[in-house]
Amino acid sequence: MDWEEQLSQAGWRITTPRRVVMQVLEQAARPLSPQEIHARGHRLHRSLGLVSVYRALAALERAGLVRRVHREDRCNSYVLASPGHHHLLLCRRCGRTVEFPGTEDLSSLIAQVEQQTGFRVEDHLLQLVGLCAPCRNL
Ligand SMILES: [Zn+2]
Ligand SMILES: [Zn+2]
């Protein structure tokens, strides 16, 4: 299933900004900020505005097609997301990311936190940070 089918099945329309953002991210070798996506997308589609890029990213993230990369400088960037439960490993030096399957078992942690706080936990965010192999050898 390609991303357009995935988006339609999730009940989202395929709009020009969403298509351009996906096209830019499919060609990207590393995570891109909304400004970088806008600069590249603008070359493909002249009337693409930055606000449309932000809106497209929000929709694509909610539909599970892109993933937000949380960085120490608080400047978020985005990569394509594989379907299903995955998390990201971020290289803090070069900014490259790798996805890994979310097979972790948080059930005992969640049970403990729920008991201590009275919350009902619904979801989690997890991102690992480190140095990739080339950066380790610098
Ligand atoms: Zn690196
Ligand atoms: Zn997980």
Side-chain angles (χ1 to χ4, degrees):
M1 180 162 61
D2 64 18
W3 73 267
E4 299 194 1
E5 285 174 82
Q6 216 182 312
L7 194 61
S8 317
Q9 281 196 3
W12 297 85
R13 277 185 309 123
I14 295 156
T15 63
T16 300
R18 290 171 193 169
R19 179 175 282 127
V20 174
V21 167
M22 286 301 288
Q23 209 176 325
V24 168
L25 287 176
E26 277 167 350
Q27 291 164 3
R30 60 175 180 82
L32 298 178
S33 70
Q35 289 79 7
E36 290 170 321
I37 294 167
H38 176 243
R40 295 182 189 198
H42 189 72
R43 281 180 231 142
L44 303 169
H45 187 73
R46 283 284 154 200
S47 63
L48 182 73
L50 184 57
V51 174
S52 309
V53 170
Y54 275 106
R55 288 200 191 118
L57 283 169
L60 294 167
E61 188 182 13
R62 284 183 60 194
L65 291 164
V66 305
R67 205 179 303 284
R68 193 190 314 205
V69 183
H70 296 265
R71 302 200 321 198
E72 284 171 342
D73 60 9
R74 296 192 187 185
C75 175
N76 288 328
S77 52
Y78 293 83
V79 288
L80 292 183
S82 304
H85 186 175
H86 286 84
H87 294 296
L88 285 178
L89 178 57
L90 167 69
C91 176
R92 63 176 169 77
R93 186 169 280 156
C94 69
R96 264 191 337 123
T97 55
V98 176
E99 264 187 338
F100 61 93
T103 52
E104 77 282 355
D105 183 6
L106 300 177
S107 53
S108 64
L109 173 68
I110 288 172
Q112 188 190 331
V113 169
E114 284 182 335
Q115 207 190 351
Q116 283 169 356
T117 63
F119 271 55
R120 165 58 51 86
V121 174
E122 294 174 340
D123 202 357
H124 64 273
L125 301 171
L126 174 66
Q127 179 180 287
L128 302 181
V129 181
L131 287 173
C132 71
C135 288
R136 281 178 68 188
N137 295 325
L138 283 182

